[in-house]
Amino acid sequence: MRFALSEDVLAVRDGLRSALRAHCPTELLRDASSPDGDERVRGLWRLLGDMGVPGLVVPELRGGLGCDEVFMVVALEELGYVAAPGPLGEVISMAAPLLADAPSQQEFFDRVLAGDALVACDTGEGHVAHAQMSDGFIIVRDGELGFVSRSRVHVDPVTTVDATRRSGRVRVDGAPATLPLAGLPRAIDRVTLAVAAELVGLSARMLDMTTQYVQTREQFGVPVGSFQAVKHALANSLIAVEFARPAVWRAAASMASGDHWASRDISMAKALATDTARQVARTSIQCHGAMGYNVEYDLHHFVKRSWARCADWGDSEVHVARVAQWLEI
Amino acid sequence: MRFALSEDVLAVRDGLRSALRAHCPTELLRDASSPDGDERVRGLWRLLGDMGVPGLVVPELRGGLGCDEVFMVVALEELGYVAAPGPLGEVISMAAPLLADAPSQQEFFDRVLAGDALVACDTGEGHVAHAQMSDGFIIVRDGELGFVSRSRVHVDPVTTVDATRRSGRVRVDGAPATLPLAGLPRAIDRVTLAVAAELVGLSARMLDMTTQYVQTREQFGVPVGSFQAVKHALANSLIAVEFARPAVWRAAASMASGDHWASRDISMAKALATDTARQVARTSIQCHGAMGYNVEYDLHHFVKRSWARCADWGDSEVHVARVAQWLEI
Amino acid sequence: MDLTDTPSEASFRAEARSWLEREVPSPELPSGDTREGFALHLEWERKLYEARWSVVAWPEKYGGRDATVWEWLIFEEEYYRAGGPQRVTQNGIFLLAPSLFTFGTTEQQDTYLPLMASGEQSWCQGWSEPSSGSDLASIVSRAVRDEAGGGWRLSGQKTWTTRGAFCTHVFGLFRSDPESVRHHGLTYYLVPLDSEGVTVRGFGRLDGDEGFAEVFFDNVFVPDDAVLGEVGQGWRIAMSTTNSERGLTLRSPGRFTASVERLRHLADRQGATLGEPLRLRVARAWMGAEAYRLFTLGQVSRMLEGTVRNSESSLNKVFWSELDVEIQETAMEILGSEAEVDGPWSRAFMFSLGGPIYAGTNEIQRNLIAERMLGMPRR
Amino acid sequence: MDLTDTPSEASFRAEARSWLEREVPSPELPSGDTREGFALHLEWERKLYEARWSVVAWPEKYGGRDATVWEWLIFEEEYYRAGGPQRVTQNGIFLLAPSLFTFGTTEQQDTYLPLMASGEQSWCQGWSEPSSGSDLASIVSRAVRDEAGGGWRLSGQKTWTTRGAFCTHVFGLFRSDPESVRHHGLTYYLVPLDSEGVTVRGFGRLDGDEGFAEVFFDNVFVPDDAVLGEVGQGWRIAMSTTNSERGLTLRSPGRFTASVERLRHLADRQGATLGEPLRLRVARAWMGAEAYRLFTLGQVSRMLEGTVRNSESSLNKVFWSELDVEIQETAMEILGSEAEVDGPWSRAFMFSLGGPIYAGTNEIQRNLIAERMLGMPRR
């Protein structure tokens, strides 16, 4: 038995971490909320494309890195930590592997792998995150799975709390190109897992920012971090993060090994990661005092992304109910 | 508009309060858990009988004090504060008013008013609190309402967490005497309200004991009450008590005035009082450290009574669901 | 114990209800925390004033109706029930005015109150500074005596000033005794924002509105009659205001009962798809708003009988702020993936998260409750 | 990352499972925290010892199997899964023994460990005193040098000593340097409870068992070899023990996965009457136990790689103790009006409430997490 990351996984994590800390500063998040920032966001994506990130779990034969889901969650935690803009979770875990199975979309698929094309996922439930900035759309409707490129889609912009998501309501002209439906359940599991990992990264970031802030901010002549109420709130945040992360790792390992219980484990991971992110976001805002409320300070980017991701691909209650079903409770 | 107790209510409260503080010390609770304490418990009941407490809401024409439910909840809060032993809530709010409408039970009813007879309520759901020490039983079965005296009942003792409840499983020989069924829904509402009031009293007592304890107990060279975590836990307890009490008062006023919404208000009161008692019990044990775990210290009496009363006549979830139904949510 | 309106309360309620049903703007005004929205809200304030609804509890001579506290509560209930616009003048009316009534000179009252009631002058508060948030007593902005001019020179920086970029006046504390520390030696000043040397810079809030401002004071002259109360007594006067901010006046129960009504409608729209856990949360939110209403009714009764306890308003502050978050979080969960869409619900959610922070963080309030109401030892 | 048993782990698991399935007493033994129950539990301990299951991770010469940490975890999982009796010898085996292995002389190890493994000697801990609970460093019980006798004289009072009324030995801290304060000048002693001058008084616990004792020391003589480690180093040695108490050794994940299994059966018995909110709480309890198991698996991996962080065991302590309360509260709610009946569920509920208190309150643990893991400033 061993429950730790392999050397290979750690190498991927460390490489990605240093790239992201260099090339995905919080200024990029400020820019990313308007079309003016598109070029900078695409610059980051191309960099990630050069590193092979979009094709992380795509088989090597199809031009990907052929990594398993354990690599994926570790990468997504890093991407979450910097709140990297764009539909990275959806592309890495869903769009790229699905398009890899669709030879008719080879040209577009190559662009996806290169970080040159962004793909949004439209499940037919309301607005679509990243619709305004995406070059193609995975369309899930009535048990059908399809793909359509930007040119055949009308997007009505929708303003959301996390403006970097550049969301929109989507209307497709005509029928999308059909993708093999067999991959869908696994793709939905995988993207759910990816988002759980992102949420762990986002939570870790909010906690780090808050930990630093309360050590420097003074009130009543002492750092606010010396108050027991603040200490306990942050201790609870750390506990939440530390116990959510192994659940994400395990779900990844279950999926990678084709375990019968993988879907249950993914639901558990998403539920715990969601609860964690909500708790840490709330604590971070509270411990920052008015500063957490100021959009000139960076915390809000991570809080808003967390809220958005908590609701994506099923909120915590939905996934707890699925776990209950799996356990026949 | 005025939301405060009248002079009359305050007078009843103050009279009862001083009697209980003199005659219901915690030693009585230690005695009350075995048959050896029966005489002392009955002594307290006769004292309360002399004050008219069992017949508090019984019409004056039938020998009671003819008070309304506002008097009742204020009295029950006081009885809860001292965790008075015996089925006081059930007798005051349910058995006495029901027997008042049953001329055939006049003799027993007179003993009830005098504090000379204790009455338990058997709703057919498992064991019956106070079965071992009661002289008569209200029996609710299949929409029938009856009364039976001790001589016609077999009681198998059941040990429960709050040993002063002297519970038992009950088997009745033959059919109980029939009581007018019309009074039942109102009786059940009223006893639920009575228990809510008891829980507010119990909570206030646990909070008072804990507040005193943490001011004298020192660790790390300071009273443990000077730690922010302890302060905040107790502040939260006080908030819970202060916001539950008005809900109990309002429910009493609604019932007294025959308000259409009285049942809803009673469910709200029971739910809030239950949540409050659970929270305060947990906080009190935690803030007492190991002392809350020691049965030679008095806190445990109040904690155990609270747990028992939280589950009696519907736990909080049950009553929240009823509120939801009333509100058509 | 009587929770029904007296005949005169009932007729007051009926009058308010019918006026509000007729006059409350529809569709809703844009947020008053933006420049355009603020202007539209001032028009609404003017309309309220003209119908004598802007300051019901004030004396008639200042534009009020001499309403009782019960009537004020009734007005608030009806106002929120009708979906009345946010009161952009609230910091003046609810925070400054109580201090003006208690500590102001007749001249100050006559000068400021009518213009405040009509919305011609709009006030923002200058409490917080970059390094003074919860710890208000650490204020460093200073006031220096200007004997020649017959007044004071103010310097320093205030921040987190709600709607500061749109208001005409600011009230705030400055350190008038340079030797003083903590809560001593502070004085309460009333300052027009167009005074020479004042610079206001608006900045964005979590919900995207430019709702906050920093206010810079560079040797700003104010005459002696800009001092509220006595020189050096600013802390005591401000605390009386802070108390109003925490307690009833800023967050009347009508606000939350109205929020819960909206939540019930939202739940209704989901119909049978709303699961049992969410149904119960909505019921609990309703119970919370009711409990808050009942508590405040008891509190007002105690107030009128003179038996309100020290620091009782901290109970209100913690309760309403957590209730508001709970209401809004429940709404977010009901909305699911639509929760993130910019609109009244997402904005109300983000706004609610400020509740446990402003007007004294809930951590401070719990300290106060423990120390002042339960007698816990300070450290 | 590999969560499956190796072939040798699998055969270890199979052996443990089949032995436990055969041998675990049925019906359940009465509580080991009563005098009669304790004696029956010692018989069980003897049986475990004879089959070499009492101390699997110890060296063979002391009755163990030299098992790896993974195997120890597997044994624990199987033990709780099979409903194995409470380990009344746990304070010796899990709290004293790690210190004996690290700080004891070979002679002490050879003397005490085999008798501890077989249950012939049973140990209770003497940490807390009437005024030293969470603040262990405030110990006042003292040890005075007895040069003539070649040993020490112990005086004072210990309390909250679990099963103290039934054990044969106590280990604990005494102040050996009368000039010392706080955690300096304390020495760790091993004391037979039948020594002259020792008085033990049992007292009742919330759940009704006489599970606690006060232990009084009146000038009790112990020889020099009753000192564990060096004189004056007691604090450091005790802390190493306390660390084991908080972390893995006292609360292995198997305990909670087994509790949750019982909870699932309880929920099952309710069938369709179990409402959605309670169903979800049971699922959350399962998730909590799983999360704890996964966390500890990662922790053991870190331990074996030498990368466990300072104070990490405080994370375990807070998590398992709150998880246990949550599991038991859920059970109480499912049981409804039957919850109060004396039995395994009500006792487990009351027992769980001690978790956030003993072995260092969760308040202290959260301080440690914040200060040592997050670097928050101490005050």
Side-chain angles (χ1 to χ4, degrees), chain B residues 125-127 158-161 165 167 169 217-221 229 282 285-286 289-296 300 304 307-308 311-312 315 317, chain D residues 130-135 160 182 201 203-206 212 277 325 329 333 336-338 340-342 346 349-351 353-354 356-357 362-364:
Chain B
E125 295 169 0
H127 63 283
V158 170
T159 308
T160 65
V161 167
R165 303 242 285 178
S167 301
R169 298 197 195 272
R217 169 74 174 173
E218 295 205 351
Q219 289 285 273
F220 304 99
R282 173 94 197 265
I285 287 181
Q286 185 70 19
M291 197 57 89
Y293 230 68
N294 179 352
V295 295
E296 296 183 3
H300 79 104
K304 289 172 175 171
W307 289 333
D312 283 349
D315 210 320
E317 203 93 310
Chain D
S131 59
S132 304
S134 297
D135 181 14
W160 311 117
R182 305 295 299 161
R201 188 185 79 85
F203 62 96
R205 213 166 51 182
L206 200 56
F212 288 140
V325 173
E329 283 184 345
E333 203 157 313
S337 56
E338 289 296 303
E340 66 169 334
V341 175
D342 182 52
S346 65
F349 165 62
M350 285 188 280
F351 187 79
L353 297 177
I357 296 168
N362 285 8
E363 284 75 18
I364 301 280

Side-chain angles (χ1 to χ4, degrees), chain A residues 125-127 129 158-162 165 167 169 217-221 227 229-230 278 282 285-296 300 303-304 307-308 311-312 315 317, chain C residues 129-135 138 160 182 201-206 212 277-278 322 325 329 333 336-342 346 349-354 356-357 361-364:
Chain A
E125 294 168 2
H127 65 283
V158 170
T159 309
T160 65
V161 167
D162 176 5
R165 303 241 288 178
S167 301
R169 298 198 195 273
R217 169 74 174 175
E218 295 204 351
Q219 289 285 273
F220 304 100
F227 289 103
V230 173
R278 284 201 202 283
R282 173 94 196 266
I285 287 182
Q286 184 69 20
C287 290
H288 270 82
M291 196 57 87
Y293 231 65
N294 179 352
V295 295
E296 296 183 3
H300 80 105
V303 166
K304 290 171 175 172
W307 290 334
D312 282 350
D315 211 320
E317 202 95 311
Chain C
E129 299 184 0
S131 59
S132 304
S134 297
D135 181 15
S138 66
W160 311 116
R182 306 292 301 160
R201 187 185 78 86
F203 61 96
R205 214 167 50 183
L206 201 57
F212 289 141
L278 273 172
E322 302 217 322
V325 173
E329 283 185 345
E333 203 157 315
S337 57
E338 289 297 302
E340 67 169 333
V341 176
D342 181 54
S346 65
F349 164 63
M350 285 188 279
F351 187 78
S352 75
L353 297 177
I357 296 169
T361 64
N362 285 9
E363 284 75 19
I364 302 280

Side-chain angles (χ1 to χ4, degrees), chain D residues 190-203:
Chain D
L190 307 171
V191 189
L193 283 170
D194 62 2
S195 306
E196 205 184 319
V198 173
T199 312
V200 180
R201 188 185 79 85
F203 62 96

Side-chain angles (χ1 to χ4, degrees), chain A residues 126-145:
Chain A
H127 65 283
V128 176
H130 306 105
Q132 294 178 55
M133 66 200 303
S134 288
D135 307 290
F137 294 80
I138 297 286
I139 311 280
V140 184
R141 288 287 153 72
D142 311 319
E144 303 241 338
L145 180 63

Side-chain angles (χ1 to χ4, degrees), chain D residues 7 18 27 33 131-132 143 259 288 301 328 350 366:
Chain D
S18 86
D33 298 352
S131 59
S132 304
S259 289
S301 304
Q328 305 306 336
M350 285 188 280
R366 288 194 177 91

Side-chain angles (χ1 to χ4, degrees), chain A residues 17 20-22 24-29 77-84 197-213 234 237-238 241 245 276-277 280-281 284 288 297-303 305-306:
Chain A
R17 181 177 292 178
L20 288 170
R21 304 219 174 159
C24 189
T26 49
E27 295 79 56
L28 181 55
L29 299 176
E77 181 175 342
E78 294 303 320
L79 290 161
Y81 192 87
V82 298
E198 247 183 280
L199 284 166
V200 170
L202 284 158
S203 301
R205 178 61 171 276
M206 293 186 285
L207 176 56
D208 283 353
M209 290 183 78
T210 309
T211 302
Q212 281 167 32
Y213 182 76
L234 293 186
S237 295
L238 180 63
V241 172
R245 186 182 286 121
T276 296
V280 176
S284 298
H288 270 82
Y297 179 83
D298 288 327
L299 179 69
H300 80 105
H301 294 300
F302 302 93
V303 166
R305 181 68 59 80
S306 298

